[in-house]
Amino acid sequence: MNMFDQFEQASQKSKTTKVSTAEMSTSGYIQMSMEPDLPIFTKSKKDFSPPDLITHAAISNKFLVVAMTNGILFRMNLSNPSQNDETILPKGTKLSLLSLDPFANHMLLAFGQDLYYMSRKLNSKLRSLTAKFGSYEVTAVGWNIGNEYDTKTGPILLGTSKGILLEADIMLDGEKQWKQVFDIGKGTNTPITGIHFCNVIGTEKYHIFATTANRLYFFSGTASSKVKGPLLQQVFTRYLAIPERETFTEVTSTFSEIKFWSENSITPNSFAWLTSHGVYFAQFDVDVIDDIKSIKSQMSLIECPSSESGPFTLALTEFHALVAYRDRIKGISLLNSELVYEDNYNEAFGKLITVVKDHVTATIWAVTEKNLFRFRITNEDRNLWQIYSDRGQFDLAKKYAKSNEVYYNQVLLREANMHFDKGEFHLAALRFAETQTSFEEICLKFISIEKQDALKIFLRKKLTTLKPQDKTQITMITFWLIELYSTQMEELRLKGLEQSNAYFEVQKEFEQFLSLPMLTDCTKKNKGAIYDLLASHGDKANAIKLTKLNKDYEQLIRQHIYKNSFHDALEVLKSQNNRELFYQFAPILMQEIPKLVIKALIDQRMNLQPAKLLPALVSCDGEVHCVEVIKYLEFCINNLKCPDKAVHNLLLSLYAKYNPDMLLEYLSQQGQDMMCINYDVYFALRLCQEKKLTKACVQLSSLLGQWESAVDMALTFDKELAIRIANQAPEHDLELRKKLWLKVARHVISGKDDIQMAIEFLQKCDNLIRIEDILPFFSDFVTIDHFRDAICNSLKKYNHDIEELKKEMDEATVSAETVRKEIQSFRNRYTYIKPTDCCDICNVCLLVRPFYLFPCKHRFHTDCLLKELTPMLGPAKRNKLTDLQRQLNILNTQTIDNISTGSTGLSSRDIVRNDIDNIVASECLFCGENMIRNIETPFYTEHEYDQILKDWE
């Protein structure tokens, strides 16, 4: 590396500055850090040393062509420098033009009026075109950008020193086509300095640009390849009838050069026209432009920085132009004319020959007389955000500031302040919401000027910028917005504008706000506070809408009740299959619309538990309400077969109060079996006593077994009822039945002395009382003669009963004698036991242990029998057997037998043993009643069954 190279690198490093970069933290703060920011343009010297000074150069598609003062044309593949060749140029005339097509397949060289063509495939052979083109001095070439063939150029345009435009098509096989298509110079020396044409993609439309030293021409028209003849001539044909002044724009200049920039490498998006006064820059849309006026309206002059020598060429990027002077290159911003780069070229490098941009790779190269340099472009749009922001073009400014949070925030803030200063508060609010400026500062900004609508817009927009995890901020802004909307609507309602368009607009905005998906979680979690906030403004309608939105049907019902819209509340209740809501709100709704509520409850059928509705039913007062309650309770009992005692008690109490006849029917339906009735009998009796429902009391007293009380009450109003009650008394309790009948008899006979009635009464009492039992009920004036027949019948009955008893006693004596004989015969009975006989339970030899032998031939060891029999005994017998075994064990431990002094002459041990035998051996285990009573007992326990099942498997 020589001294000058080191100087250039040091110069570039000294221009590197530290600028800030930023990241946006999740908390909303901007985290700053300092990083080195590379210059937009940096150059690097290539390892290329030409044998002589360079006079002309061209670069396309990574292919370098240079002409040197020694008359040599040098070509080299920049991707592979070893691929190069040299060609000797014609001598005698100075080279005036070297032009390479965009893909480096074709090259034209002009030596005055001599024109030569060289193809990449011709292996360094120049072919003269002078004979074909005649004595034209070609000064500019407009290559066919869309042509990638290496065998032909396709239609191209050539500009001459006389201002003539020629269309040519040069082919590799030697065939050449050309024709003059337009004359700009009109016979004067008007060299054409630049030509560019393009096809509008997807159409047959073509645009042609041509420049002279002081004019820029523009031609536009359609051209079809199907038409015979030169293609581009079709574009110029229409301009033969158009005045020339409508085809160009003119400036004061002694030379010019035009360069184009294209985003897609086919159709241009902008151009820079270098003149002696500066650079005319224009951005355009090929689909829109159609004449020179549309081009001129987009042009703006960028003055070139002063220098000892003027500019002679330039290279164009999207936002900058590298303007070449003989000793330096200056980079100029096309948007604000600011000088962003400057690089000097000293004598060690030689004079600048050209600055050229590779059409394919978009790489910019600088060629001096002795060296080749490549430029690297780094983030050339870095300052565009500021330029566009200064111009007020905020959309473009934001486009180029998106990669940097700090810059983007500054653009938004400038835009917001601009709208605020103009009084466009709604637009200002939208932009402020996107910035990272202090939330409180912006809110105070709008509050201070009382712009509530703008504040709402700001808050709503700010809400959309928050993340789901920013729950606190979302909640705060949500509540603030609800407060603002509620206040605004309340003010309109107080002014009587509830039906105005203004109110409807605010209401619509509020509903849209509440329906935002991001608020769903917030409104559900804070629904209580939101309802209270709406209620504080008296906004019942929106409270109801919010409950619907949140599907908070409990609160929705509350809101309807709060508005006294009980029917609406009931409709919501019916629409929800939520039994808890019925239990909760039925008490309130029953007070207001009992009939409809009861109908709704009945429609729910088994979905509801009547017992849980009791608070609602009990709270009802008044006959209208209670009639409906009775209807529901009857439905529960008769249709749903509800067994809940509380439900039956409530129905019974309502019957007692409002419909005593139905009470008696209900009691009859429930029957007289205490195990089957579903109401509390004691409660019912106490209630009927309070309501003085004597007939019901009679029925309930009899149900409780209070027969005497029941008969006493029945006798107060209905003798036949008392007789029926007496007949219902337990048949086995003859003493009670007799007492009841005597009560009835006293009531029937006392004070009447009606013998015939008494006789008839005796016939009804089922012989429980006789004539002698009712005699005390007659008065002393009644003589015995009146009872002669009744007494005689009674004596006959006694005689008959005595005879029956004698007969029964005789039969009992005979039966006892038969039993004694059978017992005696059993005592003398015997049987044989074989040594091979086994226990029927354990299958072990019977004689090895004490045993029992039954007449049915079943044999059991004593311990086996006890083990099998004990679980079958009742609790009393089992306890007695256990006690006897304990006594026997005690007696067996005594050495002296305790001889009883009783009539049996048996010892205590024998007595206990006999008692055990009476329990254990009273009947055979397999043949007796125990086996019959335990017929449903499984043969195996569950555990045994599982074990046996496994064994079988």
mmCIF file of all heavy atoms in Angstrom, residues 331-368:
data_model
loop_
_atom_site.group_PDB
_atom_site.id
_atom_site.type_symbol
_atom_site.label_atom_id
_atom_site.label_comp_id
_atom_site.label_asym_id
_atom_site.label_seq_id
_atom_site.Cartn_x
_atom_site.Cartn_y
_atom_site.Cartn_z
ATOM 1 N N GLY A 331 -20.846 13.857 -3.412
ATOM 2 C CA GLY A 331 -22.158 13.229 -3.283
ATOM 3 C C GLY A 331 -23.183 14.238 -2.812
ATOM 4 O O GLY A 331 -23.003 14.900 -1.778
ATOM 5 N N ILE A 332 -24.252 14.376 -3.570
ATOM 6 C CA ILE A 332 -25.273 15.391 -3.293
ATOM 7 C C ILE A 332 -26.612 14.695 -3.063
ATOM 8 O O ILE A 332 -26.998 13.795 -3.820
ATOM 9 C CB ILE A 332 -25.401 16.390 -4.472
ATOM 10 C CG1 ILE A 332 -24.038 17.021 -4.779
ATOM 11 C CG2 ILE A 332 -26.440 17.463 -4.153
ATOM 12 C CD1 ILE A 332 -24.050 17.866 -6.030
ATOM 13 N N SER A 333 -27.310 15.129 -2.017
ATOM 14 C CA SER A 333 -28.659 14.610 -1.779
ATOM 15 C C SER A 333 -29.606 15.192 -2.814
ATOM 16 O O SER A 333 -29.630 16.406 -3.054
ATOM 17 C CB SER A 333 -29.127 14.978 -0.368
ATOM 18 O OG SER A 333 -30.494 14.679 -0.215
ATOM 19 N N LEU A 334 -30.371 14.334 -3.446
ATOM 20 C CA LEU A 334 -31.324 14.787 -4.462
ATOM 21 C C LEU A 334 -32.556 15.437 -3.860
ATOM 22 O O LEU A 334 -33.347 16.051 -4.578
ATOM 23 C CB LEU A 334 -31.749 13.593 -5.324
ATOM 24 C CG LEU A 334 -30.627 12.923 -6.122
ATOM 25 C CD1 LEU A 334 -31.126 11.640 -6.752
ATOM 26 C CD2 LEU A 334 -30.080 13.877 -7.187
ATOM 27 N N LEU A 335 -32.721 15.293 -2.547
ATOM 28 C CA LEU A 335 -33.931 15.818 -1.914
ATOM 29 C C LEU A 335 -33.721 17.185 -1.284
ATOM 30 O O LEU A 335 -34.632 18.013 -1.290
ATOM 31 C CB LEU A 335 -34.430 14.823 -0.857
ATOM 32 C CG LEU A 335 -34.808 13.441 -1.396
ATOM 33 C CD1 LEU A 335 -35.263 12.541 -0.268
ATOM 34 C CD2 LEU A 335 -35.889 13.543 -2.461
ATOM 35 N N ASN A 336 -32.543 17.418 -0.717
ATOM 36 C CA ASN A 336 -32.321 18.736 -0.085
ATOM 37 C C ASN A 336 -31.024 19.404 -0.523
ATOM 38 O O ASN A 336 -30.596 20.381 0.099
ATOM 39 C CB ASN A 336 -32.338 18.588 1.435
ATOM 40 C CG ASN A 336 -31.210 17.718 1.954
ATOM 41 O OD1 ASN A 336 -30.452 17.144 1.168
ATOM 42 N ND2 ASN A 336 -31.088 17.621 3.261
ATOM 43 N N SER A 337 -30.388 18.845 -1.577
ATOM 44 C CA SER A 337 -29.174 19.439 -2.160
ATOM 45 C C SER A 337 -28.001 19.482 -1.189
ATOM 46 O O SER A 337 -27.018 20.189 -1.418
ATOM 47 C CB SER A 337 -29.458 20.872 -2.660
ATOM 48 O OG SER A 337 -30.521 20.883 -3.586
ATOM 49 N N GLU A 338 -28.069 18.737 -0.103
ATOM 50 C CA GLU A 338 -26.996 18.755 0.888
ATOM 51 C C GLU A 338 -25.813 17.921 0.389
ATOM 52 O O GLU A 338 -25.987 16.856 -0.198
ATOM 53 C CB GLU A 338 -27.506 18.194 2.207
ATOM 54 C CG GLU A 338 -26.470 18.195 3.314
ATOM 55 C CD GLU A 338 -26.992 17.580 4.603
ATOM 56 O OE1 GLU A 338 -28.226 17.341 4.683
ATOM 57 O OE2 GLU A 338 -26.191 17.323 5.516
ATOM 58 N N LEU A 339 -24.623 18.435 0.645
ATOM 59 C CA LEU A 339 -23.413 17.713 0.297
ATOM 60 C C LEU A 339 -23.157 16.657 1.369
ATOM 61 O O LEU A 339 -22.905 16.973 2.526
ATOM 62 C CB LEU A 339 -22.224 18.668 0.202
ATOM 63 C CG LEU A 339 -20.878 18.038 -0.201
ATOM 64 C CD1 LEU A 339 -20.947 17.477 -1.614
ATOM 65 C CD2 LEU A 339 -19.754 19.063 -0.075
ATOM 66 N N VAL A 340 -23.241 15.394 0.989
ATOM 67 C CA VAL A 340 -23.109 14.317 1.971
ATOM 68 C C VAL A 340 -21.788 13.562 1.827
ATOM 69 O O VAL A 340 -21.442 12.758 2.684
ATOM 70 C CB VAL A 340 -24.288 13.324 1.849
ATOM 71 C CG1 VAL A 340 -25.599 14.021 2.129
ATOM 72 C CG2 VAL A 340 -24.301 12.659 0.474
ATOM 73 N N TYR A 341 -21.058 13.830 0.741
ATOM 74 C CA TYR A 341 -19.825 13.071 0.522
ATOM 75 C C TYR A 341 -18.918 13.886 -0.387
ATOM 76 O O TYR A 341 -19.369 14.557 -1.327
ATOM 77 C CB TYR A 341 -20.147 11.725 -0.135
ATOM 78 C CG TYR A 341 -18.940 10.921 -0.546
ATOM 79 C CD1 TYR A 341 -18.214 10.202 0.399
ATOM 80 C CD2 TYR A 341 -18.521 10.899 -1.872
ATOM 81 C CE1 TYR A 341 -17.089 9.452 0.021
ATOM 82 C CE2 TYR A 341 -17.416 10.153 -2.257
ATOM 83 C CZ TYR A 341 -16.702 9.432 -1.308
ATOM 84 O OH TYR A 341 -15.603 8.701 -1.683
ATOM 85 N N GLU A 342 -17.634 13.827 -0.118
ATOM 86 C CA GLU A 342 -16.641 14.467 -0.985
ATOM 87 C C GLU A 342 -15.345 13.667 -0.902
ATOM 88 O O GLU A 342 -14.880 13.313 0.183
ATOM 89 C CB GLU A 342 -16.409 15.919 -0.579
ATOM 90 C CG GLU A 342 -15.472 16.646 -1.534
ATOM 91 C CD GLU A 342 -15.378 18.141 -1.248
ATOM 92 O OE1 GLU A 342 -15.987 18.611 -0.263
ATOM 93 O OE2 GLU A 342 -14.678 18.833 -2.015
ATOM 94 N N ASP A 343 -14.765 13.427 -2.073
ATOM 95 C CA ASP A 343 -13.547 12.632 -2.121
ATOM 96 C C ASP A 343 -12.617 13.233 -3.182
ATOM 97 O O ASP A 343 -13.055 13.485 -4.322
ATOM 98 C CB ASP A 343 -13.890 11.173 -2.460
ATOM 99 C CG ASP A 343 -12.663 10.285 -2.396
ATOM 100 O OD1 ASP A 343 -11.737 10.606 -1.621
ATOM 101 O OD2 ASP A 343 -12.642 9.265 -3.114
ATOM 102 N N ASN A 344 -11.386 13.492 -2.810
ATOM 103 C CA ASN A 344 -10.402 14.091 -3.712
ATOM 104 C C ASN A 344 -9.558 13.004 -4.376
ATOM 105 O O ASN A 344 -9.251 11.964 -3.769
ATOM 106 C CB ASN A 344 -9.495 15.043 -2.943
ATOM 107 C CG ASN A 344 -10.269 16.221 -2.367
ATOM 108 O OD1 ASN A 344 -11.169 16.747 -3.007
ATOM 109 N ND2 ASN A 344 -9.913 16.630 -1.158
ATOM 110 N N TYR A 345 -9.166 13.269 -5.604
ATOM 111 C CA TYR A 345 -8.306 12.361 -6.368
ATOM 112 C C TYR A 345 -7.038 13.127 -6.762
ATOM 113 O O TYR A 345 -7.113 14.089 -7.542
ATOM 114 C CB TYR A 345 -9.030 11.827 -7.609
ATOM 115 C CG TYR A 345 -10.172 10.907 -7.250
ATOM 116 C CD1 TYR A 345 -11.415 11.417 -6.894
ATOM 117 C CD2 TYR A 345 -9.989 9.528 -7.253
ATOM 118 C CE1 TYR A 345 -12.450 10.580 -6.543
ATOM 119 C CE2 TYR A 345 -11.033 8.674 -6.909
ATOM 120 C CZ TYR A 345 -12.258 9.208 -6.552
ATOM 121 O OH TYR A 345 -13.288 8.376 -6.199
ATOM 122 N N ASN A 346 -5.924 12.744 -6.207
ATOM 123 C CA ASN A 346 -4.681 13.469 -6.449
ATOM 124 C C ASN A 346 -3.973 12.916 -7.681
ATOM 125 O O ASN A 346 -4.460 12.026 -8.373
ATOM 126 C CB ASN A 346 -3.785 13.396 -5.208
ATOM 127 C CG ASN A 346 -3.619 11.972 -4.718
ATOM 128 O OD1 ASN A 346 -3.362 11.082 -5.518
ATOM 129 N ND2 ASN A 346 -3.790 11.750 -3.414
ATOM 130 N N GLU A 347 -2.794 13.456 -7.914
ATOM 131 C CA GLU A 347 -2.054 13.107 -9.120
ATOM 132 C C GLU A 347 -1.633 11.642 -9.137
ATOM 133 O O GLU A 347 -1.381 11.063 -10.193
ATOM 134 C CB GLU A 347 -0.807 13.999 -9.222
ATOM 135 C CG GLU A 347 -1.142 15.469 -9.435
ATOM 136 C CD GLU A 347 0.118 16.321 -9.511
ATOM 137 O OE1 GLU A 347 1.205 15.735 -9.371
ATOM 138 O OE2 GLU A 347 -0.012 17.534 -9.709
ATOM 139 N N ALA A 348 -1.540 11.062 -7.963
ATOM 140 C CA ALA A 348 -1.131 9.657 -7.925
ATOM 141 C C ALA A 348 -2.149 8.762 -8.624
ATOM 142 O O ALA A 348 -1.795 7.711 -9.164
ATOM 143 C CB ALA A 348 -0.961 9.211 -6.479
ATOM 144 N N PHE A 349 -3.426 9.173 -8.589
ATOM 145 C CA PHE A 349 -4.477 8.388 -9.241
ATOM 146 C C PHE A 349 -4.717 8.827 -10.678
ATOM 147 O O PHE A 349 -5.315 8.096 -11.456
ATOM 148 C CB PHE A 349 -5.785 8.510 -8.461
ATOM 149 C CG PHE A 349 -5.679 8.056 -7.031
ATOM 150 C CD1 PHE A 349 -6.243 8.796 -6.011
ATOM 151 C CD2 PHE A 349 -4.990 6.896 -6.715
ATOM 152 C CE1 PHE A 349 -6.155 8.383 -4.698
ATOM 153 C CE2 PHE A 349 -4.890 6.471 -5.408
ATOM 154 C CZ PHE A 349 -5.470 7.213 -4.386
ATOM 155 N N GLY A 350 -4.300 10.046 -11.000
ATOM 156 C CA GLY A 350 -4.604 10.588 -12.303
ATOM 157 C C GLY A 350 -5.965 11.255 -12.302
ATOM 158 O O GLY A 350 -6.713 11.231 -11.320
ATOM 159 N N LYS A 351 -6.302 11.881 -13.380
ATOM 160 C CA LYS A 351 -7.571 12.570 -13.491
ATOM 161 C C LYS A 351 -8.721 11.551 -13.576
ATOM 162 O O LYS A 351 -8.562 10.446 -14.069
ATOM 163 C CB LYS A 351 -7.584 13.463 -14.722
ATOM 164 C CG LYS A 351 -6.611 14.626 -14.657
ATOM 165 C CD LYS A 351 -6.711 15.459 -15.924
ATOM 166 C CE LYS A 351 -5.710 16.615 -15.900
ATOM 167 N NZ LYS A 351 -5.788 17.435 -17.131
ATOM 168 N N LEU A 352 -9.871 12.036 -13.103
ATOM 169 C CA LEU A 352 -11.079 11.199 -13.220
ATOM 170 C C LEU A 352 -11.484 11.087 -14.675
ATOM 171 O O LEU A 352 -11.562 12.084 -15.401
ATOM 172 C CB LEU A 352 -12.231 11.791 -12.410
ATOM 173 C CG LEU A 352 -12.346 11.358 -10.956
ATOM 174 C CD1 LEU A 352 -13.406 12.185 -10.240
ATOM 175 C CD2 LEU A 352 -12.685 9.883 -10.863
ATOM 176 N N ILE A 353 -11.751 9.874 -15.093
ATOM 177 C CA ILE A 353 -12.218 9.646 -16.458
ATOM 178 C C ILE A 353 -13.746 9.572 -16.492
ATOM 179 O O ILE A 353 -14.399 10.180 -17.331
ATOM 180 C CB ILE A 353 -11.609 8.350 -17.023
ATOM 181 C CG1 ILE A 353 -10.084 8.461 -17.043
ATOM 182 C CG2 ILE A 353 -12.148 8.064 -18.424
ATOM 183 C CD1 ILE A 353 -9.570 9.628 -17.866
ATOM 184 N N THR A 354 -14.311 8.845 -15.557
ATOM 185 C CA THR A 354 -15.772 8.719 -15.511
ATOM 186 C C THR A 354 -16.201 8.132 -14.164
ATOM 187 O O THR A 354 -15.397 7.533 -13.436
ATOM 188 C CB THR A 354 -16.287 7.817 -16.653
ATOM 189 O OG1 THR A 354 -17.722 7.855 -16.671
ATOM 190 C CG2 THR A 354 -15.842 6.377 -16.455
ATOM 191 N N VAL A 355 -17.465 8.323 -13.849
ATOM 192 C CA VAL A 355 -18.141 7.623 -12.759
ATOM 193 C C VAL A 355 -19.300 6.890 -13.399
ATOM 194 O O VAL A 355 -20.172 7.513 -14.019
ATOM 195 C CB VAL A 355 -18.645 8.582 -11.670
ATOM 196 C CG1 VAL A 355 -19.428 7.812 -10.611
ATOM 197 C CG2 VAL A 355 -17.483 9.310 -11.023
ATOM 198 N N VAL A 356 -19.321 5.571 -13.289
ATOM 199 C CA VAL A 356 -20.293 4.783 -14.016
ATOM 200 C C VAL A 356 -20.971 3.812 -13.069
ATOM 201 O O VAL A 356 -20.362 3.316 -12.122
ATOM 202 C CB VAL A 356 -19.611 4.026 -15.181
ATOM 203 C CG1 VAL A 356 -18.558 3.071 -14.669
ATOM 204 C CG2 VAL A 356 -20.635 3.290 -16.031
ATOM 205 N N LYS A 357 -22.239 3.543 -13.359
ATOM 206 C CA LYS A 357 -23.024 2.609 -12.546
ATOM 207 C C LYS A 357 -23.345 1.368 -13.373
ATOM 208 O O LYS A 357 -23.854 1.467 -14.489
ATOM 209 C CB LYS A 357 -24.320 3.272 -12.076
ATOM 210 C CG LYS A 357 -25.201 2.369 -11.229
ATOM 211 C CD LYS A 357 -26.465 3.110 -10.813
ATOM 212 C CE LYS A 357 -27.382 2.227 -10.017
ATOM 213 N NZ LYS A 357 -28.640 2.924 -9.662
ATOM 214 N N ASP A 358 -23.029 0.209 -12.814
ATOM 215 C CA ASP A 358 -23.335 -1.060 -13.467
ATOM 216 C C ASP A 358 -24.843 -1.259 -13.437
ATOM 217 O O ASP A 358 -25.462 -1.310 -12.377
ATOM 218 C CB ASP A 358 -22.628 -2.204 -12.730
ATOM 219 C CG ASP A 358 -22.697 -3.515 -13.502
ATOM 220 O OD1 ASP A 358 -23.685 -3.733 -14.222
ATOM 221 O OD2 ASP A 358 -21.760 -4.329 -13.362
ATOM 222 N N HIS A 359 -25.429 -1.382 -14.612
ATOM 223 C CA HIS A 359 -26.890 -1.493 -14.707
ATOM 224 C C HIS A 359 -27.405 -2.765 -14.037
ATOM 225 O O HIS A 359 -28.488 -2.765 -13.435
ATOM 226 C CB HIS A 359 -27.303 -1.475 -16.179
ATOM 227 C CG HIS A 359 -28.771 -1.690 -16.387
ATOM 228 N ND1 HIS A 359 -29.703 -0.672 -16.238
ATOM 229 C CD2 HIS A 359 -29.485 -2.807 -16.718
ATOM 230 C CE1 HIS A 359 -30.896 -1.144 -16.461
ATOM 231 N NE2 HIS A 359 -30.809 -2.447 -16.770
ATOM 232 N N VAL A 360 -26.652 -3.843 -14.086
ATOM 233 C CA VAL A 360 -27.117 -5.132 -13.568
ATOM 234 C C VAL A 360 -26.924 -5.213 -12.061
ATOM 235 O O VAL A 360 -27.832 -5.582 -11.311
ATOM 236 C CB VAL A 360 -26.403 -6.296 -14.269
ATOM 237 C CG1 VAL A 360 -26.809 -7.634 -13.649
ATOM 238 C CG2 VAL A 360 -26.726 -6.281 -15.754
ATOM 239 N N THR A 361 -25.728 -4.870 -11.573
ATOM 240 C CA THR A 361 -25.417 -5.031 -10.143
ATOM 241 C C THR A 361 -25.667 -3.763 -9.337
ATOM 242 O O THR A 361 -25.610 -3.805 -8.103
ATOM 243 C CB THR A 361 -23.954 -5.443 -9.965
ATOM 244 O OG1 THR A 361 -23.106 -4.384 -10.442
ATOM 245 C CG2 THR A 361 -23.654 -6.727 -10.723
ATOM 246 N N ALA A 362 -25.913 -2.636 -10.014
ATOM 247 C CA ALA A 362 -26.132 -1.335 -9.362
ATOM 248 C C ALA A 362 -24.895 -0.866 -8.590
ATOM 249 O O ALA A 362 -24.990 -0.013 -7.714
ATOM 250 C CB ALA A 362 -27.344 -1.378 -8.434
ATOM 251 N N THR A 363 -23.733 -1.420 -8.909
ATOM 252 C CA THR A 363 -22.486 -0.986 -8.289
ATOM 253 C C THR A 363 -21.946 0.237 -9.021
ATOM 254 O O THR A 363 -21.989 0.312 -10.258
ATOM 255 C CB THR A 363 -21.448 -2.123 -8.335
ATOM 256 O OG1 THR A 363 -22.018 -3.292 -7.761
ATOM 257 C CG2 THR A 363 -20.194 -1.743 -7.563
ATOM 258 N N ILE A 364 -21.427 1.181 -8.240
ATOM 259 C CA ILE A 364 -20.876 2.409 -8.824
ATOM 260 C C ILE A 364 -19.349 2.292 -8.825
ATOM 261 O O ILE A 364 -18.733 1.911 -7.811
ATOM 262 C CB ILE A 364 -21.335 3.652 -8.040
ATOM 263 C CG1 ILE A 364 -22.870 3.789 -8.158
ATOM 264 C CG2 ILE A 364 -20.639 4.899 -8.557
ATOM 265 C CD1 ILE A 364 -23.435 4.944 -7.378
ATOM 266 N N TRP A 365 -18.791 2.653 -9.957
ATOM 267 C CA TRP A 365 -17.341 2.586 -10.131
ATOM 268 C C TRP A 365 -16.822 3.973 -10.515
ATOM 269 O O TRP A 365 -17.485 4.717 -11.239
ATOM 270 C CB TRP A 365 -16.949 1.596 -11.233
ATOM 271 C CG TRP A 365 -17.420 0.184 -10.962
ATOM 272 C CD1 TRP A 365 -18.644 -0.336 -11.230
ATOM 273 C CD2 TRP A 365 -16.647 -0.864 -10.391
ATOM 274 N NE1 TRP A 365 -18.722 -1.646 -10.853
ATOM 275 C CE2 TRP A 365 -17.484 -2.020 -10.326
ATOM 276 C CE3 TRP A 365 -15.336 -0.979 -9.928
ATOM 277 C CZ2 TRP A 365 -17.058 -3.231 -9.830
ATOM 278 C CZ3 TRP A 365 -14.900 -2.192 -9.436
ATOM 279 C CH2 TRP A 365 -15.749 -3.307 -9.376
ATOM 280 N N ALA A 366 -15.645 4.271 -10.028
ATOM 281 C CA ALA A 366 -14.929 5.489 -10.433
ATOM 282 C C ALA A 366 -13.653 5.064 -11.155
ATOM 283 O O ALA A 366 -12.879 4.239 -10.635
ATOM 284 C CB ALA A 366 -14.594 6.345 -9.223
ATOM 285 N N VAL A 367 -13.450 5.620 -12.341
ATOM 286 C CA VAL A 367 -12.271 5.254 -13.152
ATOM 287 C C VAL A 367 -11.411 6.497 -13.328
ATOM 288 O O VAL A 367 -11.891 7.536 -13.804
ATOM 289 C CB VAL A 367 -12.693 4.686 -14.511
ATOM 290 C CG1 VAL A 367 -11.457 4.241 -15.306
ATOM 291 C CG2 VAL A 367 -13.664 3.510 -14.340
ATOM 292 N N THR A 368 -10.177 6.392 -12.882
ATOM 293 C CA THR A 368 -9.208 7.461 -13.124
ATOM 294 C C THR A 368 -8.253 6.995 -14.220
ATOM 295 O O THR A 368 -8.378 5.894 -14.763
ATOM 296 C CB THR A 368 -8.414 7.787 -11.849
ATOM 297 O OG1 THR A 368 -7.597 6.661 -11.503
ATOM 298 C CG2 THR A 368 -9.369 8.095 -10.697
#
